[in-house]
Amino acid sequence: MALLPANCTILFEVPTGTTSTNALGSPSVDTESVVLTAFLKPKKDNAYQSPESRDGQLSGQKVAGYLISPSLMPQGVQSEQAGRCTFWRVGMGDGFVLPEVFEDAAELASFEADNADKVALRGEFFWEANIPGAFGVEAILGDRLAGRLVLRTVWADGI
C-alpha cells in the first residue's frame, strides 16, 4: 500500500527492440505502452519556467515523488524520455480515487474518457534517472521519481 494515493498517470512509449516497415516503406522502431501511476508534487526549489529557456533547452517545473504502480521504473524507459502525464483531482471530498493499476494504454484512455471532469493538468513528464539506494528501500516504498513537468492547458487539448 502506498504512503499517499496516486495523483497522476504517466504513459511512456518504450522501444521493444524490434523494427518494422511503415506504410511508406520506411523502417520504424516498434514500441509498447507502459502506464505508470505515481504520486508527484512540485519541488520547493524551483518555480515554473517557460517551456523553452534562452539556450533552447526544454525546461519546466521540477516535480518529485515516487512510483506506485509498478513500484520500480520499467526497463526500457530512458533518462530524459518524455511521457504523457495527467494529474487528477483526487481527495476533493467526492470519493474519487485514482486506480493504482492500469493494464494498458487502452484501459487508461477509457478511464480518461469516463472521468474527463477529474483531470486537473496535462503535460509531458521528462524523467530524471536516479541511482537506486544500497539498502533496497525502492522495493518497499517504490522508486523515487523526479523530473520536469512541461504543462499544457486542458481546454486547448480539445481544439
Side-chain angles (χ1 to χ4, degrees), residues 42-53:
K43 288 181 96 172
K44 294 180 182 176
D45 65 344
N46 189 28
Y48 181 75
Q49 301 171 1
S50 64
E52 289 187 34
S53 63

Side-chain angles (χ1 to χ4, degrees), residues 29-114:
V29 176
D30 295 335
T31 61
E32 65 181 357
S33 298
V34 175
V35 180
L36 309 175
T37 57
F39 173 80
L40 287 175
K41 64 179 184 175
K43 288 181 96 172
K44 294 180 182 176
D45 65 344
N46 189 28
Y48 181 75
Q49 301 171 1
S50 64
E52 289 187 34
S53 63
R54 287 186 200 163
D55 58 1
Q57 296 293 318
L58 193 63
S59 62
Q61 182 174 5
K62 289 185 177 183
V63 292
Y66 59 90
L67 280 172
I68 293 177
S69 177
S71 62
L72 300 175
M73 184 61 77
Q75 283 188 316
V77 178
Q78 301 297 313
S79 180
E80 293 301 317
Q81 181 173 346
R84 183 175 57 97
C85 184
T86 305
F87 276 85
W88 298 88
R89 297 183 191 283
V90 295
M92 302 296 281
D94 60 0
F96 177 76
V97 177
L98 186 63
E100 286 189 10
V101 178
F102 290 94
E103 294 300 321
D104 55 22
E107 184 179 351
L108 176 61
S110 175
F111 181 82
E112 286 177 345
D114 293 343

Side-chain angles (χ1 to χ4, degrees), residues 108-124:
L108 176 61
S110 175
F111 181 82
E112 286 177 345
D114 293 343
N115 297 287
D117 61 327
K118 299 297 181 188
V119 172
L121 301 168
R122 283 196 176 121
E124 288 185 304

Side-chain angles (χ1 to χ4, degrees), residues 15-32:
T16 62
T18 61
T19 58
S20 60
T21 305
N22 64 17
L24 299 174
S26 301
S28 63
V29 176
D30 295 335
T31 61
E32 65 181 357

Side-chain angles (χ1 to χ4, degrees), residues 48 51 119-124 150-159:
Y48 181 75
V119 172
L121 301 168
R122 283 196 176 121
E124 288 185 304
V150 178
L151 298 175
R152 51 193 162 111
T153 59
V154 174
W155 64 268
D157 295 342
I159 295 177

